[in-house]
Every structure is written in C-alpha cells, then in structure tokens.
Amino acid sequence: MRTKVIITVVTMALLGLATACGGDDGGGTSVTDTPAGSKAAESETPGGSATATPSGTQAPDKPPAVDGEPITTDSGLQYIMIEEGSGDSPTELDMVLVDYTGWLAPDGPKFDSSIDRGQPAGFPVNGVIPGFAEGLQLLKPGGTIRLIIPPELGYGPSGSGSVIPPNATLIFDVTLIGIQ
C-alpha cells in the first residue's frame, strides 16, 4: 500500500523519491510508502523556501567517505554526526525542511536527492520511514548526519517499487535546514 504525497513548490524529496523513481506523475516511490500496517502521511507544506539548494548542483552517485565510526541506537539505526548544528532538535510532531541524498548500501546507486532537484524538502517528521524519522530527531538546525538505515527501519521485505529492493539497507546524508 502506498500513500502519494501532495507536493508544493517548496517540498518534494523525502516524501517522494520522484526524480529517480519516475517523476511526480504518480508512478514513483516515496519514503512515506510504508509496509502494510505502517503509518504513512500526506503532507502539504505551506510557505516559501528559507534556503534553496543552488541549481545545477548534483549529489554524488555514491556515498562519499565521512570521518568517524557509526553509532548504533537501540533500534538498530546507525549514524555518524558530520556537523552538529545548534538549537533544538525536532520532535516527531514537527515539520522540517531538509536537504538529503539517499543511496542503496553499501556504495550506491543514488536513488533520490533534493540537492539534484535544487529544492529542499519539507515534511512531517512522523511522515517518513522510521529510521529517517529517528535520525531527524538527532539533528539540530544546520547539522548534517549520515544515516545507515537497516531494512526493518526502512522498507523491510517489501522494498519499494523498482528502486528499493526487498531488505535493502539505505544510506542518507541529511542536513536539517530548519524546523517549521
């Protein structure tokens, strides 16, 4: 079962792996496409973009090397804090604005990127896959994190469309631009 996200000019991305998955014509995969029985959300983010990614910038096709060893949370999510940021972290009830790139582990391919689209993504924290939602709550505005999301916190045995295979581990680099 999939829930398609309502998209505004400001938002896209994590709520729709649309660029790599067939555009926003209804045929794509979405981070809110969750396994049966899981909660998915539809979202429309109001307002304008606080920060836009420069057009013409492309995210790397494979995850770049980052310094540090991953920390593993009780749920099994692994993360490396690339840049700390400052202020309050979002809660599961907040709306966030982020830039991100997602790859299949261990080294690609890239399956989605707000950077490639030149638009940050806005969505509710509780409207994305569990590993991404947990990772967002570790960030502070201005911070960047590498998330290594095991299948049970991502799409599980179902995968998602033709882009995310069953039992895939996902890698995301995420920068929290702000909490809305």
Side-chain angles (χ1 to χ4, degrees), residues 20 58-63 101-104 107-113 116 163:
Q58 294 290 303
D61 290 333
K62 297 182 181 259
T101 300
W103 302 271
L104 296 177
D107 60 2
K110 173 175 58 177
F111 59 84
D112 191 25
S113 177
D116 289 357
V163 176

Side-chain angles (χ1 to χ4, degrees), residues 29-168:
T29 298
S30 165
V31 174
T32 58
D33 292 346
T34 54
S38 297
K39 180 180 179 185
E42 289 193 12
S43 165
E44 185 168 348
T45 304
S49 174
T51 304
T53 306
S55 62
T57 302
Q58 294 290 303
D61 290 333
K62 297 182 181 259
V66 295
D67 290 335
E69 290 297 315
I71 297 168
T72 303
T73 68
D74 290 342
S75 71
L77 174 69
Q78 293 186 319
Y79 71 94
I80 299 170
M81 194 62 67
I82 297 169
E83 189 170 331
E84 284 294 325
S86 61
D88 293 330
S89 296
T91 69
E92 65 181 24
L93 301 176
D94 286 325
M95 294 284 295
V96 294
L97 188 64
V98 302
D99 259 330
Y100 75 92
T101 300
W103 302 271
L104 296 177
D107 60 2
K110 173 175 58 177
F111 59 84
D112 191 25
S113 177
S114 65
I115 295 165
D116 289 357
R117 283 188 296 282
Q119 287 281 324
F123 47 82
V125 172
N126 65 2
V128 295
I129 57 175
F132 203 100
E134 181 181 349
L136 284 170
Q137 293 174 79
L138 299 170
L139 272 173
K140 295 177 179 175
T144 301
I145 196 169
R146 158 91 32 105
L147 302 175
I148 304 161
I149 301 176
E152 59 274 13
L153 298 176
Y155 294 100
S158 300
S160 185
S162 62
V163 176
I164 310 291
N167 298 311

